[in-house]
Amino acid sequence: DVATSIMANQAMNYLVSGKVPGLMGNAHPNLAPYAVFDCADGWIILATGNDAQYQRLCAILGLDDMARAPQFLTNADRIANREEMTARITQATLGWSTAELLHACEDQGVPAGPINDLAEVFDDPQVQARGMKIAPGGLPGIRSPMTFSDADLALDRPAPKLGEHQDEVLG
């Protein structure tokens, strides 16, 4: 259910058109630029959702000519010319550190996010604030993201070890 529902954009494109989409990696099928880009020290996802955000991204990256170019003016134009657009944006993002570009995007209201390794994920203040890393019984684990209004998660005991029954863990 989850795997099918998270394909909403690609699935709806298929259901509406009857055309099976090709592989796109991390790019969005209906928005551009909305993909992972290389920076000088890592990767960032730029997620422009409208023409105004695209214009602001071009200003940040010093791509004023792209902001006015007819082949990139609208989202439909950018999708039609995705390959050239992506190459030009990547050339620009390579001159930035991820932290600097994220900060610039935040300041200008351009949706962006880091691509973290697992050490960075578990060092993230939001992940820590949400208590996602757990260690019941001294065994490391990840808290379920599901919460229920009338039930607390049992985070004080580990899952049974291989060959062990839950009754033995409960004592």
Side-chain angles (χ1 to χ4, degrees):
D1 292 356
V2 171
T4 302
S5 67
I6 63 172
M7 294 188 303
N9 293 304
Q10 289 284 38
M12 287 307 299
N13 288 344
Y14 166 72
L15 292 173
V16 169
S17 71
K19 296 178 186 171
V20 175
L23 300 177
M24 295 194 65
N26 290 314
H28 195 291
N30 301 10
L31 297 170
Y34 195 119
V36 175
F37 291 88
D38 290 321
C39 290
D41 62 348
W43 298 274
I44 188 172
I45 187 162
L46 299 173
T48 62
N50 57 50
D51 296 337
Q53 291 172 350
Y54 169 74
Q55 297 291 321
R56 292 194 301 272
L57 175 64
C58 286
I60 291 166
L61 296 175
L63 298 172
D64 297 328
D65 62 314
M66 279 185 70
R68 294 183 305 274
Q71 70 268 33
F72 306 122
L73 207 50
T74 68
N75 185 61
D77 297 328
R78 293 189 296 277
I79 289 172
N81 297 289
R82 186 188 303 264
E83 191 173 320
E84 180 186 353
M85 177 207 61
T86 300
R88 294 203 47 208
I89 290 174
T90 299
Q91 187 66 34
T93 60
L94 283 169
W96 291 74
S97 74
T98 54
E100 291 169 337
L101 187 50
L102 279 170
H103 182 70
C105 287
E106 286 176 10
D107 282 351
Q108 296 302 313
V110 175
I115 305 295
N116 293 326
D117 64 27
L118 286 174
E120 292 166 326
V121 167
F122 287 104
D123 284 343
D124 184 271
Q126 179 67 14
V127 172
Q128 291 177 0
R130 299 289 298 150
M132 292 301 297
K133 181 180 174 183
I134 60 173
L139 298 174
I142 301 170
R143 180 182 62 77
S144 169
M146 296 178 282
T147 57
F148 303 96
S149 59
D150 292 330
D152 291 328
L153 294 172
L155 302 175
D156 59 338
R157 59 184 185 266
K161 294 177 184 156
L162 185 61
E164 185 177 42
H165 295 286
Q166 185 66 28
D167 298 348
E168 296 172 43
V169 175
L170 295 175

